[in-house]
Amino acid sequence: MRVVIAEDLALLRDGLIRLLEAFKFEVVEAVDNGPSLLRALTEHRPDVAVVDVRLPPTFTDEGLRAALEAREKVPGLPVLVLSQHVEQLYARELLSDSTGGIGYLLKDRVSDVSQFVDAVRRVAAGGTALDPDVVAQLLTRHAREEPLQALTPREREVLGLMAEGRSNAAIASALFVTEKAISKHTNSIFSKLGLPPSEDDNRRVLAVLAYLGT
């Protein structure tokens, strides 16, 4: 599996290279700035990109903007954002694109190597991997919008877990209820949000994220 890494801190960049290579990923290029990232993504068209948000020269949102521009040139390019911050504007734009795998993890919460590697693989396969804090901030931003106001507190919990990429079985386990109950909540959520229900976990999560990104 071919990977492009974008991280300006040399130690962290080297650590990511060593970690991914230890799990049999092929790091085709590792860069430290936005322009180089855009070039690397369009040139290599990797199976997945692991991207920091804030890169030189301005250390604001170069990484995320480069990833978005690359996805315009390479539709469906899987991108896993690894950042210290939630950049809501561009995060919503990235997450609302329903083509290809998408992930957004906060660096200080990535403490389990196996979970991180699983997230990289999931995004490369076209799935989603979202940090709960990212989901919470996106949901909070839209808390006053009428469709979300129609959701019950339990449905909001289910929606947040759905957006993290969890299956009905995993959500049921987390909330200590039956999978049948979660299925009912899921159908109710899609109905209230005006979204067609689907048994495809990835498509349903992307549909919810597309709504949250509008």
Side-chain angles (χ1 to χ4, degrees):
M1 191 175 295
R2 301 165 63 253
V3 185
V4 165
I5 295 172
E7 169 58 56
D8 64 294
L9 296 178
L11 287 176
L12 181 53
R13 185 171 64 251
D14 185 62
L16 286 171
I17 294 172
R18 292 174 182 271
L19 171 63
L20 292 174
E21 288 182 341
F23 282 85
K24 309 305 180 183
F25 291 88
E26 178 189 358
V27 179
V28 294
E29 189 166 354
V31 301
D32 64 358
N33 63 81
S36 294
L37 172 60
L38 178 58
R39 176 197 52 76
L41 293 178
T42 53
E43 179 179 313
H44 294 292
R45 297 177 177 238
D47 297 305
V48 61
V50 179
V51 177
D52 187 12
V53 171
R54 299 185 175 184
L55 296 173
T58 66
F59 294 97
T60 53
D61 51 22
E62 283 86 353
L64 208 44
R65 285 192 287 108
L68 285 167
E69 187 172 347
R71 281 171 67 89
E72 290 180 0
K73 298 180 178 181
V74 186
L77 176 70
V79 174
L80 173 60
V81 175
L82 190 60
S83 178
Q84 290 181 327
H85 313 277
V86 180
E87 301 290 345
Q88 290 203 11
L89 178 61
Y90 288 108
R92 290 170 58 216
E93 185 175 347
L94 179 67
L95 296 174
S96 67
D97 183 351
S98 60
T99 60
I102 291 294
Y104 202 124
L105 302 179
L106 299 182
K107 289 180 180 179
D108 60 359
R109 293 173 60 90
V110 180
S111 57
D112 188 309
V113 169
S114 63
Q115 288 183 356
F116 171 68
V117 172
D118 177 67
V120 176
R121 287 177 174 150
R122 198 186 322 156
V123 171
T128 57
L130 299 180
D131 189 288
D133 281 358
V134 175
V135 175
Q137 288 198 38
L138 292 176
L139 286 173
T140 299
R141 183 181 180 90
H142 291 264
R144 296 182 180 179
E145 294 191 4
E146 185 175 347
L148 283 180
Q149 286 184 335
L151 300 184
T152 66
R154 175 61 86 182
E155 288 169 349
R156 285 175 178 272
E157 286 185 281
V158 172
L159 177 60
L161 293 170
M162 282 172 55
E164 290 175 30
R166 302 199 195 190
S167 66
N168 277 4
I171 296 173
S173 177
L175 298 180
F176 303 102
V177 297
T178 65
E179 191 170 345
K180 184 177 180 180
I182 296 302
S183 180
K184 289 182 179 179
H185 286 310
T186 299
N187 289 335
S188 176
I189 289 168
F190 278 110
S191 176
K192 290 179 180 179
L193 297 184
L195 298 169
S198 169
E199 293 303 319
D200 185 322
D201 288 337
N202 182 47
R203 287 193 337 184
R204 71 177 189 171
V205 170
L206 291 176
V208 172
L209 292 175
Y211 168 79
L212 294 175
T214 58

